[in-house]
Amino acid sequence: MQLAEVKHIYHNELEGIYRKEEIDSLFYRTIEHFLNLERFVLVLQPRLTLTKKEEQPLFETLSRLKKEEPVQYILGEAYFLDLVFKVNEHTLIPRPETEELVQWIIEDHNKQSDGILNTIDIGTGSGCIAIALAKSLPHTTVYGLDISLEALKVANQNKGLHEVEVEFIQGNILNLETDAIGFSETMFDIIVSNPPYVRESEKAKMHNNVKGYEPAMALFVPDDNALVFYKALAEFSAAFLKDGGTLYVEINQYLGLETKSIFESKNFKDVVLKKDIFGNERMLRCKK
């Protein structure tokens, strides 16, 4: 079968589930992954013919895409700040908003020249935040904390893939025994977190490829306690953030002022809300 025919089948089968531009992107990402073909291949070789063996993973992927499974889980990888990270059903898929959060941290600290910064990423998942910071801020000692052992297995794979030093530790920020995981005497210059913040009532508005496949424990919080993780982060930061240290968090765009008030009530200063590229209040920074 010719590759152009496969592309036509992708559009026929996925129409109504994804937009035309999304289908193009899914098709080209799939052929790049499985066949190592660039997206302009059909311009150069419009009659390129595939073998049955080459067709098989393309149609297997198509079958899974029809069920709205994220392409990142199908291919086992996702992009984050131009880096490739392994992902699976135990880890969130990295998003552009989180890239902006990390870029904010890098911009604030890339001119650091004296001493080593202690940094911790709470709720590290695939390790994308921690690893990106370790690569971009070489003067930083980075830790990653997550409740999920399965997620930490992926994070450690990514650490090896990117050849950085990050210490990943299992722990629950809602019930953290700092003595048990070695944090009782550690103070941090930077604390960062992208915690669960989507209220259960907001789930209905989400796409099936998110709420049907990504780990619920990393996404959702009860409506009656939607800021539970930010309260825990404020407590942790009050105890373990150095004076003058900085906390960065990704937030629910609808709860910016409420989130800000949590840190202000704990006497954090310079509490700033920042909008993402879509104009939503999605990030918060404050200092101790």
Side-chain angles (χ1 to χ4, degrees), residues 15-259:
E15 185 180 4
I17 303 174
Y18 306 94
R19 300 190 311 272
K20 180 181 182 299
E21 297 78 12
E22 288 180 298
I23 299 171
D24 278 338
S25 178
L26 292 168
F27 171 75
Y28 287 119
R29 186 163 182 181
T30 300
I31 66 169
E32 180 182 9
H33 180 83
F34 289 111
L35 304 179
N36 198 29
L37 294 174
E38 300 288 348
R39 63 180 301 126
F40 53 77
V41 63
L42 286 175
V43 176
L44 300 177
Q45 303 179 66
R47 298 187 182 277
L48 178 64
T49 300
L50 305 180
T51 66
K52 289 291 184 183
K53 184 178 180 180
E54 289 171 327
E55 290 175 14
Q56 183 178 349
L58 306 187
F59 285 112
E60 288 175 352
T61 298
L62 176 60
S63 178
R64 294 169 70 176
L65 288 171
K66 288 172 66 175
K67 298 175 183 177
E68 298 186 66
E69 183 175 351
V71 68
Q72 293 90 343
Y73 290 161
I74 299 171
L75 305 183
E77 62 183 30
Y79 295 103
F80 185 78
L81 289 175
D82 298 323
L83 301 172
V84 178
F85 287 87
K86 294 182 181 296
V87 293
N88 63 24
E89 69 276 12
H90 302 292
T91 65
L92 285 182
I93 296 167
R95 287 170 168 77
E97 303 94 308
T98 311
E99 290 183 323
E100 292 184 68
L101 180 69
V102 173
Q103 287 170 330
W104 197 11
I105 299 171
I106 294 169
E107 289 167 6
D108 283 351
H109 298 280
N110 63 6
K111 292 183 174 63
Q112 175 82 17
S113 58
D114 299 325
I116 298 296
L117 297 175
N118 275 343
T119 299
I120 184 167
D121 170 28
I122 296 176
T124 196
S126 66
C128 63
I129 292 176
I131 291 167
L133 289 174
K135 288 185 75 71
S136 298
L137 301 174
H139 50 274
T140 304
T141 298
V142 183
Y143 300 84
L145 181 78
D146 204 283
I147 190 175
S148 169
L149 277 176
E150 292 301 322
L152 291 176
K153 289 178 184 178
V154 178
N156 276 301
Q157 289 178 343
N158 284 320
K159 177 176 75 170
L161 181 67
H162 292 289
E163 300 180 328
V164 293
E165 291 298 323
V166 178
E167 184 177 351
F168 290 114
I169 301 167
Q170 186 187 26
N172 180 1
I173 189 63
L174 297 183
N175 185 27
L176 194 60
E177 297 182 15
T178 54
D179 288 333
I181 60 176
F183 285 161
S184 58
E185 298 180 2
T186 304
M187 297 295 286
F188 297 98
D189 300 276
I190 301 170
I191 296 174
V192 57
S193 184
N194 176 20
Y197 58 70
V198 180
R199 290 172 290 187
E200 287 286 343
S201 59
E202 295 168 351
K203 187 186 294 188
K205 302 175 185 177
M206 300 179 74
H207 294 297
N208 290 332
N209 62 341
V210 177
K211 63 185 179 184
Y213 290 94
E214 296 196 57
M217 66 184 298
L219 283 170
F220 300 111
V221 288
D223 283 39
D224 60 359
N225 199 11
L227 299 176
V228 58
F229 285 94
Y230 298 96
K231 295 172 184 174
L233 286 165
E235 293 284 349
F236 180 85
S237 299
F240 294 103
L241 189 63
K242 292 179 183 178
D243 289 341
T246 314
L247 169 69
Y248 300 82
V249 289
E250 189 170 320
I251 66 172
N252 186 317
Q253 68 187 78
Y254 305 111
L255 298 172
L257 293 179
E258 293 88 340
T259 308

